């Protein structure tokens, strides 16, 4: 099948590479000349495990191409996937200008019947606006579909190749057949392609992300209450997770969610509700709880330092909003670092993949460590914000020797409190009792 992916950001690049991997003739188009040149040389703008070899392999085979000529990409393809960004507008809604610009470009280059698919995360009603923009430029027939993505950063290849489900909003049986054929290689084990009306497909993406964000904020608030009453959130999480009505996923407490999806999508859904006269009070509470949670690590540190960071050096492990990505958008780590700098602390940071991305936000105000232990040397505290595998089983004897004060504040509950206390650390985690060497 001849496919054009319009936009080579995170979603567009993963989608284009994976569709080429299954034998389709794919061209990924973008107006960013530098990005396209890098992609042609297999230099990826994002860190995503497993993506680079797929891009390189399919470019060598000729199944995957990159271009800045959007018009040619549209004209040569039968299925057009819109995968441009939808940043948050000033009022919290999704900014659709890039999506609608692409729709007009499609209309101007329609040289035959096309199936136009929105992959970008867009609020309900966007596909109809795309249809209107295209129709304003052409008399040729076309179909519009909504096909939201459910890719987790750090596991996007697995998610696309082996999806839990594929959600497709269609306007005709013909479009459903074509999209069904496009996705057939990915659902051979029986996971469903769920066809529905377009507005429902658009709504599904927002509802899914809002539900996951709600679970995260709920558990974070339960964790805070556990600390207040002397309970252990790890035990609480395990006990409620075996309830089949609840399940174990997204019940791990932490320093708050971040990234390009949850914060933006929750806010966009709140805004959509306001526009339609449907107040989404639960999601407003989710958003507010998450903003408070992003400061919980700083609050813990402040208690250990009696509110004064004068002369303190704090080591921060993890800057990406989650492991296996270099994405620092809305990352709790950046909030923590800014709070520490504002309080007068010196900060050293380490992350296996996100140092350069963080540098664009933090500049030269912090020390960037190439190795995790380098960040810790002489520090008066270590804070763990991102759950990278290399942080899960460190050399604790080495850590204790390097730290000027054996204090670890763990935002991901990676370690056993009793073990850390026996090793001589003061260990403060999320939703569990403070562990001290003297206890």
């Amino acid at each position: 099948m001849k496919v054009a992916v319009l936009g080579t950001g995170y979603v567009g690049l993963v989608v284009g590479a994976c569709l080429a991997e299954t034998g389709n003739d794919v061209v990924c188009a973008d107006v960013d000349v530098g990005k396209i040149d890098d992609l042609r040389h297999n230099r990826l703008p994002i860190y995503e495990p497993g993506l680079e070899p797929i891009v390189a392999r399919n470019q060598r085979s000729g199944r995957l191409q990159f271009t800045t000529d959007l018009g040619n990409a549209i004209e040569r393809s039968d299925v057009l996937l819109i995968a441009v960004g939808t940043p948050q507008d000033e009022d919290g809604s999704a900014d659709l200008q890039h999506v609608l610009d692409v729709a007009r470009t499609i209309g101007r280059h329609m040289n035959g019947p096309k199936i136009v698919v929105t992959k970008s995360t867009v609020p309900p009603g966007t596909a109809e606006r795309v249809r209107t923009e295209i129709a304003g430029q052409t008399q040729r027939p076309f179909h519009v579909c909504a096909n939201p993505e459910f890719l987790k950063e750090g596991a996007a290849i697995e998610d696309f190749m082996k999806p839990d489900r594929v959600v497709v909003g269609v306007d005709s049986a013909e479009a459903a057949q074509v999209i069904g054929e496009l996705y057939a290689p990915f659902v051979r084990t029986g996971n469903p392609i769920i066809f529905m009306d377009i507005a429902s497909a658009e709504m599904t993406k927002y509802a899914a992300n809002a539900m996951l964000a709600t679970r995260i904020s709920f558990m974070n608030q339960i964790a805070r209450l556990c600390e207040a009453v002397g309970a252990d959130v790890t035990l609480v999480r395990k006990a409620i997770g075996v309830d089949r009505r609840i399940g174990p996923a997204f019940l791990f407490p932490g320093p708050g969610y971040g990234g390009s999806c949850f914060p933006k999508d929750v806010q966009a859904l709140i805004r959509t509700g306001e526009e339609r006269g449907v107040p989404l009070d639960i999601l407003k509470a989710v958003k507010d709880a998450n903003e408070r949670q992003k400061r919980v690590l700083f609050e813990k540190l402040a208690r250990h330092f009696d509110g004064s960071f004068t002369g303190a050096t704090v080591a921060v492990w993890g800057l990406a909003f989650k492991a296996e990505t270099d994405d620092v958008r809305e990352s709790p780590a950046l909030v923590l670092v800014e709070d520490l700098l504002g309080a007068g602390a010196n900060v050293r940071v380490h992350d296996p993949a996100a140092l350069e991305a963080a540098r664009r936000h933090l500049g030269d105000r912090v020390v960037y460590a190439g190795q995790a232990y380098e960040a810790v040397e002489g520090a008066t505290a270590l804070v763990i914000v991102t759950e990278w595998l290399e942080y899960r089983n460190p050399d604790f004897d080495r850590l204790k020797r390097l730290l000027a004060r054996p204090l670890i504040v763990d935002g991901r509950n990676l370690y056993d409190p009793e073990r850390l206390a026996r090793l001589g650390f003061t260990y403060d985690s999320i939703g569990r009792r403070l562990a001290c060497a003297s206890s």
Side-chain angles (χ1 to χ4, degrees), residues 212 215-220 223 233-234 237-238 240 247-257 293 387 392 411-414 430:
L212 296 176
R215 287 173 70 98
I216 292 170
S217 283
F218 172 80
M219 276 315 292
N220 284 339
V233 73
T234 302
R237 173 183 61 78
K238 289 178 180 178
I240 66 174
F250 281 79
L251 293 184
F252 288 85
Y257 60 76
Q293 192 68 15
E387 68 278 25
R392 290 179 180 265
R412 297 294 179 174
N413 289 1
L414 299 185
I430 304 290

Side-chain angles (χ1 to χ4, degrees), residues 7-286:
T8 59
Y10 184 86
V11 173
L13 189 53
V14 170
V15 169
C18 290
L19 289 176
E21 183 79 348
T22 51
N24 296 290
D25 180 4
V26 179
V27 56
C28 293
D30 201 293
V31 297
D32 188 329
V33 176
K35 180 190 286 188
I36 292 299
D37 183 63
D38 283 342
L39 287 168
R40 285 171 174 166
H41 292 88
N42 298 315
R43 296 190 296 265
L44 274 56
I46 58 173
Y47 174 84
E48 179 61 38
L51 180 58
E52 185 175 352
I54 294 178
V55 170
R57 180 167 59 248
N58 283 282
Q59 282 205 90
R60 285 196 305 270
S61 72
R63 290 190 299 269
L64 179 62
Q65 299 178 51
F66 296 98
T67 183
T68 57
D69 189 343
L70 271 69
N72 179 260
I74 293 164
E75 291 168 3
R76 56 167 281 182
S77 303
D78 303 312
V79 178
L80 313 175
L81 288 86
I82 301 176
V84 294
T86 54
Q88 185 170 302
D89 213 338
E90 292 180 0
D91 63 359
S93 62
D95 184 348
L96 300 177
Q97 63 171 331
H98 302 304
V99 171
L100 300 179
D101 284 345
V102 169
R104 287 187 286 271
T105 302
I106 290 171
R108 289 194 294 270
H109 290 275
M110 288 280 286
N111 58 342
K114 310 283 184 184
I115 294 179
V116 180
V117 183
T118 55
K119 286 296 293 183
S120 303
T121 300
V122 293
T126 301
E128 292 310 310
R129 294 181 65 181
V130 167
R131 188 193 307 276
T132 298
E133 295 295 339
I134 297 173
Q137 305 289 330
T138 184
Q139 297 297 316
R140 292 185 180 274
F142 63 93
H143 298 280
V144 173
C145 306
N147 173 218
E149 52 84 16
F150 298 95
L151 306 177
K152 298 188 295 292
E153 292 190 46
I157 303 301
E158 179 79 5
D159 286 346
F160 194 91
M161 292 294 197
K162 300 177 182 179
D164 293 330
R165 78 295 199 198
V166 176
V167 173
V168 186
V170 294
D171 64 357
S172 69
E174 179 184 345
Q177 180 177 345
V178 172
I179 301 302
E181 291 172 0
L182 186 66
Y183 279 104
F186 307 106
V187 293
R188 296 183 65 191
T189 58
N191 288 344
I193 301 178
I194 305 174
F195 291 101
M196 59 184 70
D197 64 274
I198 291 173
S200 295
E202 292 171 327
M203 189 67 200
T204 296
K205 172 57 185 278
Y206 279 101
N209 279 358
M211 174 60 77
L212 296 176
T214 299
R215 287 173 70 98
I216 292 170
S217 283
F218 172 80
M219 276 315 292
N220 284 339
Q221 293 215 320
I222 291 296
R224 294 179 82 128
L225 187 57
C226 282
E227 290 184 26
V229 302
D232 186 331
V233 73
T234 302
L235 302 176
V236 174
R237 173 183 61 78
K238 289 178 180 178
I240 66 174
V242 296
D243 188 323
R244 285 175 292 180
R245 298 168 299 175
I246 298 172
F250 281 79
L251 293 184
F252 288 85
Y257 60 76
S260 63
C261 293
F262 287 2
K264 178 171 68 72
D265 292 352
V266 167
Q267 182 57 50
L269 198 54
I270 291 171
R271 181 61 180 165
T272 298
E274 291 171 348
E275 292 171 350
R276 302 302 177 95
V278 181
L280 300 177
D281 298 332
I282 289 176
L283 293 187
K284 291 177 183 177
V286 167

Side-chain angles (χ1 to χ4, degrees), residues 292-342:
R292 288 193 297 271
Q293 192 68 15
K294 286 184 177 183
R295 290 190 154 76
V296 71
L297 297 180
F298 177 78
E299 292 167 1
K300 285 177 174 289
L301 278 170
R303 288 195 290 271
H304 290 288
F305 285 88
D306 295 324
S308 175
F309 289 90
T310 302
T313 297
V314 178
V316 176
W317 277 4
L319 296 169
F321 84 94
K322 61 177 288 188
E324 300 299 334
T325 180
D326 62 351
D327 193 345
V328 300
R329 286 174 288 183
E330 301 285 344
S331 173
L334 296 188
V335 176
L336 170 64
V337 171
E338 292 289 359
D339 285 346
L340 287 170
L341 293 172

Side-chain angles (χ1 to χ4, degrees), residues 338-410:
E338 292 289 359
D339 285 346
L340 287 170
L341 293 172
N346 301 306
V347 181
R348 297 182 192 158
V349 299
H350 175 265
D351 189 284
L355 287 183
E356 289 308 311
R359 194 186 300 271
R360 293 193 286 271
H361 294 265
L362 301 173
D364 59 1
R365 294 178 294 153
V366 302
V367 175
Y368 299 91
Q371 301 294 330
Y373 293 108
E374 181 186 333
V376 175
E377 187 170 2
T380 40
L382 167 63
V383 188
I384 300 164
V385 190
T386 313
E387 68 278 25
W388 286 95
L389 284 175
E390 70 175 81
Y391 301 154
R392 290 179 180 265
N393 194 25
D395 183 337
F396 289 110
D397 289 337
R398 185 178 179 185
L399 277 182
K400 192 174 180 184
R401 290 195 304 269
L402 290 173
L403 284 166
R405 175 183 177 184
L407 170 62
I408 297 177
V409 176
D410 182 0

